[in-house]
Amino acid sequence: EFRAGLARKVPSKIDIGPVFNRKPSERHGVDFKPVERELVFDIDMTDYDDVRTCCSEANICGKCWPLMTVAIKVLDVGLRKDFGFKHLLWVYSGRRGVH
């Protein structure tokens, strides 16, 4: 159901990757293996350039953040209620968005 829902929305990019038992720099070791999966959403302010009137590109002001807040709330509710996710962490990326 999750896969079909994503396909209907035609996202421009989806990154799903493993979490390994060692640092990537230690990947040539014998015991380098995935131990869990990670689903990351990258919400960038540049995705809202067509509706923002205050800023553009990587520039962000206080008027921009309500767009990010709404995106996070929509994803959070959908992932929890529709797909049963329990452990979510929203992190400011330090530049122009949220993961």
Side-chain angles (χ1 to χ4, degrees):
E1 184 179 336
F2 183 67
R3 183 179 289 183
L6 283 176
R8 282 193 302 274
K9 297 295 181 187
V10 191
S12 60
K13 181 181 175 186
I14 297 175
D15 294 321
I16 301 175
V19 175
F20 291 97
N21 63 329
R22 299 188 181 276
K23 297 177 190 175
S25 61
E26 299 172 1
R27 68 184 174 277
H28 299 296
V30 177
D31 189 37
F32 188 72
K33 61 185 177 188
V35 292
E36 58 185 282
R37 289 179 271 175
E38 177 179 63
L39 173 63
V40 176
F41 292 90
D42 185 12
I43 307 167
D44 290 328
M45 279 311 308
T46 54
D47 297 333
Y48 295 94
D49 279 350
D50 58 337
V51 295
R52 288 195 293 167
T53 57
C54 51
C55 300
S56 63
E57 299 179 0
N59 299 315
I60 300 174
C61 73
K63 293 179 183 178
C64 298
W65 282 105
L67 294 169
M68 300 298 277
T69 302
V70 169
I72 291 168
K73 287 181 179 181
V74 167
L75 278 171
D76 196 277
V77 168
L79 291 169
R80 289 180 193 278
K81 288 189 176 183
D82 296 336
F83 297 103
F85 281 75
K86 294 178 183 169
H87 306 288
L88 300 175
L89 175 65
W90 300 101
V91 179
Y92 173 60
S93 66
R95 190 170 150 207
R96 64 174 190 246
V98 177
H99 296 247

